[in-house]
Amino acid sequence: WINKKFCLPILLDFDRIENIMLTSLFNAILALLSLIIFSVILAVYDSTIFWIFIIGSALYIICVLFFWEIRKKMDIRYYEHLAQNQSQWVEFVTKITDIKSYGYGNAERHKWENIQAGLFKTRVLMLNIDQVQNVITNLIVSVRDALVIYCAAKAVISSSMSIGMMAAVLYIIGQLKAPLTNMLHFLVSLQLFSISFNRISDIYKIK
């Protein structure tokens, strides 16, 4: 079991953890600072637009978190298929003489084909999950932005906000989008970090 784990998939786990620790954490800190600063400025300009943005962003985050458990199961399944695929290649190389001598190459080929089919199905499922999540989150973001523009335009018409203030509010909203997206990517990375760390910890516990 340990030999199967010490192959390509476990190396991918180490790369994932290194990438999160070196890049994602720093980007998340900068994104959090930007979110705090621009949120305060937006609240000062217009509290109604601020709360629309907060509620819309909260729904956006909830939608992403909803797919966490599904993403975790898919990641574990994908890891298992990668481990099986790597083990099968190792078996091919180490037992190539026996395979030729005893003529069970067809059985090994069918086993390899089944593993490849499992990998393909898992990749398709992961892509489908990402597409569904993107459609829902894009819908939430579009509705949120439309409400923000409507409230800003209504405030200009009622003379409670100047055109310059509306432009400033829309600029602030634009500046808030990128940090919010970075924070959500960091939350997803944290879950993947946890999955990879647990897999590596299991190996060291068994050793």
Side-chain angles (χ1 to χ4, degrees):
W1 184 86
I2 295 177
N3 289 333
K4 290 182 179 180
K5 295 297 181 181
F6 276 119
C7 52
L8 177 62
I10 201 64
L11 295 178
L12 296 177
D13 280 333
F14 279 111
D15 289 339
R16 176 187 286 175
I17 291 175
E18 180 182 1
N19 181 62
I20 292 172
M21 293 182 66
L22 293 179
T23 58
S24 297
L25 181 60
F26 179 73
N27 292 335
I29 294 173
L30 293 179
L32 181 61
L33 291 175
S34 299
L35 275 175
I36 294 173
I37 293 172
F38 283 106
S39 295
V40 171
I41 297 174
L42 181 61
V44 172
Y45 265 98
D46 193 291
S47 59
T48 302
I49 294 177
F50 169 77
W51 284 111
I52 291 174
F53 181 83
I54 291 298
I55 294 173
S57 300
L59 292 175
Y60 180 67
I61 295 173
I62 291 172
C63 177
V64 173
L65 296 180
F66 175 78
F67 286 90
W68 265 26
E69 193 64 30
I70 303 175
R71 192 184 300 275
K72 179 181 178 180
K73 292 179 180 178
M74 289 296 101
D75 187 79
I76 293 174
R77 183 188 300 182
Y78 185 65
Y79 175 91
E80 291 175 351
H81 286 310
L82 282 179
Q84 292 173 2
N85 184 56
Q86 188 72 10
S87 300
Q88 188 66 31
W89 278 110
V90 172
E91 186 176 347
F92 280 152
V93 174
T94 56
K95 297 182 179 180
I96 187 65
T97 303
D98 294 337
I99 292 174
K100 290 181 177 180
S101 300
Y102 297 103
Y104 60 92
N106 288 334
E108 292 296 320
R109 189 193 68 187
H110 290 317
K111 187 189 295 185
W112 177 82
E113 288 175 350
N114 290 332
I115 294 173
Q116 298 306 309
L119 268 174
F120 176 76
K121 290 179 181 178
T122 303
R123 289 194 185 104
V124 171
L125 284 174
M126 294 173 72
L127 287 174
N128 289 337
I129 291 170
D130 288 337
Q131 289 176 348
V132 171
Q133 177 182 317
N134 289 335
V135 169
I136 297 175
T137 53
N138 288 336
L139 177 63
I140 293 173
V141 170
S142 298
V143 173
R144 181 198 66 189
D145 292 345
L147 288 175
V148 167
I149 294 174
Y150 170 78
C151 290
K154 185 177 180 181
V156 171
I157 293 174
S158 62
S159 300
S160 60
M161 180 186 293
S162 65
I163 296 179
M165 290 179 64
M166 183 182 73
V169 167
L170 295 180
Y171 173 79
I172 294 170
I173 294 294
Q175 293 300 310
L176 282 168
K177 288 181 180 179
L180 180 62
T181 302
N182 290 337
M183 286 298 300
L184 288 174
H185 287 166
F186 178 70
L187 290 176
V188 174
S189 298
L190 276 182
Q191 188 197 28
L192 298 178
F193 175 91
S194 176
I195 297 170
S196 297
F197 183 79
N198 289 336
R199 280 198 288 252
I200 296 173
S201 299
D202 290 340
I203 293 174
Y204 283 101
K205 288 178 181 178
I206 292 177
K207 287 178 67 179

